[in-house]
């Protein structure tokens, strides 16, 4: 049996082996996808509507049902708007939605297979004031 090079969700397979003597044996094998990991954010903080890039590994080649969230903000976790999801699974560009409250939180990624990444600090700062 040769396991696939990549998987997006946990899978269980049964491997059956038959010998020359016709004795058969089976084994159940659980394949677990690699854990997604955030290594850096292009910005450690920013106001609502700011965009930034999350760099890391094992996010998956497509967003699918995957998501990016800031946890720990006043009022609960807030999803970030995904602008792009790299096909190599190593970077995601997101935007902080306009109604996101200020505060210190933790950014994490959930893949379409349901695996959750490490968390990295991000602070939502006050919105910029503009006078024309």
């Amino acid at each position: 049996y040769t396991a696939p090079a990549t998987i997006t969700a946990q899978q269980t397979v049964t491997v059956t082996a038959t010998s020359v003597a016709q004795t058969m044996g089976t084994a159940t094998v659980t394949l677990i996808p690699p854990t997604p990991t955030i290594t850096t954010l292009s910005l450690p903080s920013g106001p609502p509507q700011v965009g930034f890039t999350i760099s890391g590994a094992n996010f998956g080649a497509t967003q699918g049902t995957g998501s990016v969230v800031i946890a720990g903000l006043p009022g609960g976790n807030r999803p970030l708007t995904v602008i792009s999801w790299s096909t190599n699974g190593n970077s995601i560009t997101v935007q902080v939605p306009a109604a996101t409250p200020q505060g210190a939180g933790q950014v994490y990624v959930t893949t379409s297979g349901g695996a959750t990444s490490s968390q990295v600090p991000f602070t939502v700062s006050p919105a910029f004031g503009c006078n024309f």
Side-chain angles (χ1 to χ4, degrees):
Y1 172 74
T2 301
T6 61
I7 58 172
T8 58
Q10 182 172 313
Q11 301 173 24
T12 302
V13 296
T14 301
V15 178
T16 303
T18 305
S19 73
V20 175
Q22 299 296 321
T23 302
M24 191 168 65
T26 62
T28 301
V29 178
T30 302
L31 305 174
I32 301 172
T35 302
T37 304
I38 297 174
T39 53
T40 60
L41 303 179
S42 63
L43 296 172
S45 65
Q49 297 186 304
V50 72
F52 64 94
T53 300
I54 301 165
S55 297
N58 305 315
F59 299 143
T62 61
Q63 179 180 355
T65 58
S67 63
V68 182
V69 170
I70 299 180
L73 293 177
N77 296 352
R78 302 296 173 124
L80 298 176
T81 303
V82 175
I83 305 301
S84 67
W85 193 290
S86 71
T87 57
N88 67 7
N90 295 333
S91 69
I92 303 168
T93 301
V94 295
Q95 182 179 31
V96 179
T100 305
Q102 295 176 37
Q106 299 284 323
V107 172
Y108 68 89
V109 174
T110 301
T111 67
S112 60
T116 301
S117 74
S118 53
Q119 296 187 5
V120 176
F122 183 85
T123 300
V124 180
S125 59
F128 294 128
C130 295
N131 294 322
F132 292 99

